[in-house]
Amino acid sequence: MMTAQPSPSQVGLALPPGRPPRCLVFDSGVGGLSVLREIQALLPDVDITYAADDAGFPYGAWMERKLVDHVMDLMGQLIATHRPDLVVIACNTASTLVLPALRQRFDTPFVGTVPAIKTAASTTRSRVVAVLATPGTVKRDYTRALIDTYASHLDIALIGAQSLATLAEAYMRGEPISDQAVKAEIRPCFRDIRGRKTDTIVLGCTHYPFLTDTFKRLAPWSVTWIDPAPAIARRVAALLGRDERAPAMPQRPGRAVFTTGTIPPALMPTLAKFSLAA
Ligand code: DGL
């Protein structure tokens, strides 16, 4: 089975002195900003490049073989251009598929983002859990393997949402999104199995944490929503040898690169909020 975490040889990076660590955070779109904000909260001095493959968005519908080749090529270009010390694949749809190939080809260490099924298994009381993710992530062998390893004793529903990532992109551009559309996507997560109700929902796509308030408002009952981003940020901090919270300091400005070459003007305020310039 693939591992979500770097191998032991990747732990404790030898970083060159005299400059801040460089971290590349990658997603198909702006969802990875949900991971970036946790990394920034722990490590404000890290030099961050945020790369969004908006030309390839959404990844959820890609054929697996094509997506592997595509991400491998793109990562080669991004690593050559930005020379990161560490890459965070802030995308479940890519991580659950491409991490082993990335680790094999590149020397740069990778931290992946995969559905927090292990956390859900320790949180649920009703043993009825849902994984809300893209259609790609719910189909992956990797996701099935996580369930077999950590959650075979639970009733788990794998819900592949067709349009939630796209709705989250619209939301991040300040556009209104339809409650009905969101409701239809989250509804299958809520099950009642002879009185045992879903009590935990894993946010298996980095776009979804930006919609958590909407999810909570539209949910038929209250559940625990699990966002893996804080754990990913802690992993990044550990790899950079920063187990302690950094003293309060201003956020180091970073940069955003979009593969279409054009950042939609409506996204600029959001990027500015994360101290990212074009
Ligand atoms: N943010 C991505 C994820 O975590 C995927 C969105 C998409 O491209 O479909 O899976």
Side-chain angles (χ1 to χ4, degrees):
M1 191 185 104
M2 308 183 238
T3 56
Q5 302 300 341
S7 64
S9 63
Q10 292 174 321
V11 172
L13 303 177
L15 294 167
R19 66 158 174 81
R22 289 195 289 254
C23 181
L24 176 73
V25 180
F26 173 81
D27 182 31
S28 57
V30 291
L33 294 173
S34 66
V35 177
L36 173 133
R37 73 179 163 190
E38 300 296 336
I39 296 172
Q40 287 182 328
L42 279 190
L43 304 162
D45 60 321
V46 167
D47 180 1
I48 293 183
T49 299
Y50 185 79
D53 182 16
D54 58 333
F57 180 87
Y59 278 179
W62 279 63
M63 301 274 296
E64 293 196 348
R65 192 62 254 166
K66 284 199 163 148
L67 187 57
V68 174
D69 293 346
H70 174 76
V71 173
M72 294 296 282
D73 286 352
L74 183 54
M75 197 49 65
Q77 295 166 32
L78 289 168
I79 288 175
T81 308
H82 301 286
R83 307 233 156 256
D85 299 304
L86 177 76
V87 177
V88 178
I89 305 293
C91 174
N92 295 260
T93 314
S95 296
T96 51
L97 185 66
V98 198
L99 270 179
L102 289 169
R103 287 181 176 146
Q104 208 172 14
R105 182 172 310 170
F106 301 105
D107 291 335
T108 313
F110 288 88
V111 175
T113 308
V114 300
I117 289 165
K118 187 179 177 187
T119 310
S122 63
T123 306
T124 180
R125 300 225 172 272
S126 68
R127 287 176 288 111
V128 184
V129 167
V131 177
L132 184 63
T134 69
T137 298
V138 299
K139 275 194 309 222
R140 302 275 188 259
D141 292 344
Y142 186 95
T143 306
R144 306 268 167 192
L146 282 177
I147 293 174
D148 290 348
T149 308
Y150 299 114
S152 53
H153 58 297
L154 305 179
D155 285 300
I156 292 219
L158 285 170
I159 308 301
Q162 297 293 336
S163 63
L164 271 187
T166 304
L167 289 167
E169 288 275 328
Y171 174 80
M172 298 296 274
R173 288 192 301 268
E175 296 166 16
I177 60 171
S178 143
D179 277 0
Q180 275 319 104
V182 173
K183 222 180 201 169
E185 295 280 27
I186 65 170
R187 189 67 192 88
C189 294
F190 291 84
R191 296 181 302 152
D192 183 336
I193 303 175
R194 290 183 298 279
R196 285 190 301 119
K197 290 178 164 185
T198 302
D199 68 355
T200 305
I201 299 181
V202 175
L203 298 172
C205 169
T206 53
H207 281 74
Y208 302 169
F210 290 115
L211 297 178
T212 307
D213 288 344
T214 311
F215 294 161
K216 286 182 180 165
R217 179 168 56 78
L218 299 174
W221 60 81
S222 162
V223 296
T224 301
W225 302 88
I226 298 184
D227 173 6
I232 294 161
R234 287 195 296 275
R235 182 67 189 155
V236 171
L239 282 172
L240 297 178
R242 308 284 194 79
D243 290 324
E244 304 289 320
R245 178 171 276 275
M249 63 173 82
Q251 183 62 57
R252 179 182 294 279
R255 65 210 64 76
V257 291
F258 279 51
T259 53
T260 54
T262 321
I263 300 183
L267 266 183
M268 292 314 246
T270 300
L271 296 178
K273 240 177 37 198
F274 293 101
S275 305
L276 298 173

